[in-house]
Amino acid sequence: MKVGDELPPLEVPITRTLIVAGAVASRDYQDVHHDAVLAQEKGSPDIFMNILTTNGLVGRYITDHFGPEARLRSVRIRLGAPNHPGDTMTLTGTVTAVEAGAAEVRVVGANGLGHHVTGTVTVALPRAGASGSDAGEMGAV
């Protein structure tokens, strides 16, 4: 792995179920994440995904690529265009730094309206041949 390497894209269909389930799982009961009528009354065309669901999807994207032994050290994201039901978010990533046992990845999640999420993730990578318990003991990056 080297700076400039691109992760394969991940397409995430944005369904009403995904939005509501993510909000409920993260105990975010704001009506804009589950009630289309109230979301529309507040100016949104429909319900929209909360940041905690987005954060989880970004984490999944990174760990799907680097494997189950990789550990997220930091996730710094910013939301942009909302994810509404019926759209697709495509996550892409580019390695921006590689240091002893860690990589930084610039992540973008785009949908039909533009960039839903942008940010960077620092991931600690397992040492070659390390067992699961050894890999989790690496120092912070």
Side-chain angles (χ1 to χ4, degrees):
M1 168 181 30
K2 62 186 179 313
V3 171
D5 284 354
E6 294 185 9
L7 281 61
L10 173 65
E11 290 190 356
V12 180
I14 307 302
T15 65
R16 192 167 300 280
T17 300
L18 174 63
I19 293 169
V20 173
V24 170
S26 61
R27 297 181 180 180
D28 183 347
Y29 303 116
Q30 291 191 31
D31 51 23
V32 294
H33 304 308
H34 65 83
D35 188 317
V37 172
L38 291 176
Q40 290 168 354
E41 286 177 6
K42 293 180 179 180
S44 178
D46 204 338
I47 63 172
F48 54 90
M49 184 176 285
N50 72 354
I51 192 169
L52 295 172
T53 304
T54 299
N55 195 54
L57 290 169
V58 168
R60 170 195 164 193
Y61 176 59
I62 297 298
T63 58
D64 278 359
H65 178 75
F66 289 102
E69 300 298 320
R71 300 290 178 250
L72 300 178
R73 292 294 181 212
S74 73
V75 178
R76 294 179 303 270
I77 60 172
R78 176 172 289 192
L79 292 183
N83 270 338
H84 293 293
D87 208 343
T88 298
M89 177 176 65
T90 302
L91 289 162
T92 57
T94 304
V95 176
T96 56
V98 179
E99 296 181 6
E104 183 180 83
V105 180
R106 173 84 174 143
V107 176
V108 174
N111 62 30
L113 297 173
H115 288 169
H116 169 68
V117 62
T118 56
T120 57
V121 177
T122 302
V123 59
L125 306 170
R127 293 183 296 258
S131 70
S133 61
D134 292 337
E137 295 174 9
M138 279 200 298
V141 185

